[in-house]
Amino acid sequence: MSNLTSRRDFLRLLGVSGLLTFTGGVLSACGAQTGQKGVPAAPGAGAGAGGASTPVDLEIAIKSVQTEVPIFTGKPTRVWTYQAQVLKGDAASVQALPDTYLGPAIRVRKGQRVRVQYTNELPGNAEQSIIHWHGLHLPERMDGHPRDAIAPGKTYTYEFQVTDRAGTYWFHPHPHERTAAQVYMGLAGLFIVTDEEEAAAGLPAGAYDVPLILQDRSFDKDNQLAYISDPMGSGMTQIMMGFLGERIVVNGKADFTLPVATRVYRLRLLNGSNSRIYKLGWADGTPLTVVGTDGGLLEKPVQKKYVTLAPGERIELWADFSGRKVGDELTLRSLEFSGAEGAAAGGSGNMGGMSGSGMNMGGMSMGAAAGQAPALGAPLTVLKVRVERQEPETLKLPARLSQLNFNRVYDAVNRDNPRSFALTMRNMVWKINDRTFEMDGVTEGETVKLNTTELWEFVNQTNPGEMTDPMGMAHPFHIHGLQFQVVDRRVMPELAAGWESVREGYVEEGWKDTFLLMPGERVKVLLRFADHTGMFVYHCHNLEHESAGMMRNYRVTA
Ligand code: C2O
Ligand code: CU
Ligand code: CU
């Protein structure tokens, strides 16, 4: 399909459905569509090698820009956003969400070859950036390592084949120290992969397949995004604990209501918040039917009273509204939980008394930096669903969804002696095995062999003696470059209360790339390092922690 045809089709689609908005437009800064390389070809890189002549199924230009969007009545909100345009291939591969700071959803089929020309057009000349494809299994130079960040005005060319199974992946910036701020300003989008196995599963599609990106944000009285304003002063708490916004925004909208018909929906939930963890449940107690996790469909649906969704994680629900009446309204809540923000010295692990404004840390007030933001674990409304139309439904919940082809613990080269990673705070700095991020730094303990299966154990330790956080806090942990399995969880008995308040919401029957570690919890994951050598990062996906250095490299060697 030529650019012209696909462009025209896409615009027609816009006119007909009115659901999609074209955010692309001006791409003059990218210049030629044949893709000049913004990066020198690095050894082992996929991009440099083939050059512009490599045939691809889809070529997209994406730029990060500053713009304004209406979030509230009155003044528009200044945001940073990804704008995308299909240069070659199916124009429907880029679906913008209307009137939001969120980037478009990119939809691809497994097996497709994709080229992305990413141009950094963020304001000023200092704001480096790079796109990371969260959850995808890619060569190192395609993954968006912080060392590949480019300055404003520059273009980075990605070229890769999508080898991952169908699932809800996403993309966001990953520059050194600036990921949290850039995501907060609006830079994030979905990367949705489809495949034949998924198509055969018989799930709701089209308008009944709805992405829901959950974030929390604070706004000032002029409707502008408010973030950590005084990092050396009162904002220090927000850097150490993570930024919590005052209100929930869904798909970039405040007070989001999803209009539905009396049908079954596939809801793809992404926790795109910087640090807020959700414990999602319907207010009326209806259980959740989970069909997918970070790395795609489960083998079979799983029923949950609630689902715990930490930053970076995705969950897919089979949401059946067919028994509802027109006019019904449902509320998806984040239910109360405890212990995620550690516990005050001498505390019981119950954070009931700790509000965002003025945390009481063993008698020491941490200031009012967090304003009116609900505390981590405080109950809150996430979104509403309103049943608006009667429509017949024939879909039945499939008994089987997919085949997972899991690895076996037995095959791990270190099955009796897992590689161990301690998450700690030392002198008010979060660390992984006593280290923080170094651009090219990687230790022996972080070096693995290609084509091996390994067991890694993460231990969320308490921090006795650390005034600000003696009991640790929850860390959503993410490993780049692959999907893995969570194979074991346990908790220190003295911190079991907080853990008990979220653990039934863990969904670990599927492939994962991010998992939550509550304080005192230890989690074993099983990883297989296939196909790609090189250096990838692993980090806490509490983005304030990540940007403050709670990140390391691991290296896969031949
Ligand atoms: Cu979404 Cu390095 O992560
Ligand atoms: Cu990632
Ligand atoms: Cu963390």
Side-chain angles (χ1 to χ4, degrees), residues 132-135 143-144 146 170-174 179 183 270 311-314 478-480 513-514 537-541 543 546 551:
H132 165 58
W133 314 94
H134 181 126
D143 188 61
W170 64 300
F171 60 100
H172 62 76
H174 224 297
T179 298
V183 171
L270 157 65
E313 288 186 305
R314 287 85 70 208
H478 172 49
I479 305 168
H480 277 217
D513 55 50
T514 308
V537 294
Y538 64 106
H539 59 87
C540 181
H541 219 289
L543 292 180
E546 181 270 356
M551 172 159 72

Side-chain angles (χ1 to χ4, degrees), residues 423 430 473-477 540-542 545-546 550:
L423 313 182
W430 293 111
M473 70 174 287
H475 301 286
F477 223 83
C540 181
H541 219 289
N542 175 321
H545 293 185
E546 181 270 356
M550 196 179 193

Side-chain angles (χ1 to χ4, degrees), residues 77-154:
T77 305
R78 187 172 56 249
V79 296
W80 291 352
T81 190
Y82 287 123
Q83 298 181 340
Q85 185 179 31
V86 175
L87 302 177
K88 177 173 177 285
D90 184 356
S93 305
V94 168
Q95 298 181 330
L97 299 162
D99 286 338
T100 171
Y101 56 79
L102 287 166
I106 298 173
R107 290 179 178 267
V108 301
R109 286 192 307 281
K110 181 178 176 180
Q112 282 192 311
R113 294 205 61 91
V114 180
R115 183 184 297 134
V116 177
Q117 311 273 9
Y118 165 57
T119 304
N120 178 1
E121 291 184 19
L122 293 175
N125 50 24
E127 197 69 44
Q128 302 238 332
S129 198
I130 190 72
I131 296 177
H132 165 58
W133 314 94
H134 181 126
L136 294 186
H137 176 55
L138 299 174
E140 67 169 338
R141 290 291 170 176
M142 300 298 110
D143 188 61
H145 191 280
R147 68 188 162 161
D148 291 326
I150 52 170
K154 294 276 188 287

Side-chain angles (χ1 to χ4, degrees), residues 168 210-212 214 266-271 280 288-296 298 302 304 306-310 312-318 332 505-509 512:
T168 310
V210 179
L212 296 168
L214 314 183
R266 176 182 188 173
L267 302 179
R268 303 174 186 254
L269 281 75
L270 157 65
N271 183 350
L280 300 169
L288 302 169
T289 303
V290 181
V291 294
T293 49
D294 301 342
L298 303 178
V302 172
K304 290 279 178 181
Y306 63 86
V307 161
T308 306
L309 198 66
E313 288 186 305
R314 287 85 70 208
I315 202 84
E316 297 196 23
L317 303 178
W318 168 279
L332 186 68
Y506 293 143
V507 185
E508 297 176 331
E509 288 89 344
K512 297 287 295 168

Side-chain angles (χ1 to χ4, degrees), residues 110 163-167 169 195 197-198 290-302 399-408 483-486 507-512 526 528:
K110 181 178 176 180
T163 59
D164 285 279
R165 62 201 299 265
Y169 306 92
D195 65 12
E197 183 180 51
E198 179 197 44
V290 181
V291 294
T293 49
D294 301 342
L297 295 180
L298 303 178
E299 220 150 59
K300 48 184 196 295
V302 172
R400 251 197 101 70
L401 296 162
S402 77
Q403 195 176 332
L404 291 173
N405 301 318
F406 271 162
N407 298 309
R408 302 181 308 170
Q483 294 287 325
F484 51 80
Q485 296 149 253
V486 173
V507 185
E508 297 176 331
E509 288 89 344
W511 289 106
K512 297 287 295 168
L526 185 66
R528 176 151 184 91

Side-chain angles (χ1 to χ4, degrees), residues 261-278:
T262 52
R263 295 282 301 264
V264 179
Y265 283 73
R266 176 182 188 173
L267 302 179
R268 303 174 186 254
L269 281 75
L270 157 65
N271 183 350
S273 309
N274 279 28
S275 83
R276 187 175 293 282
I277 299 160
Y278 302 89

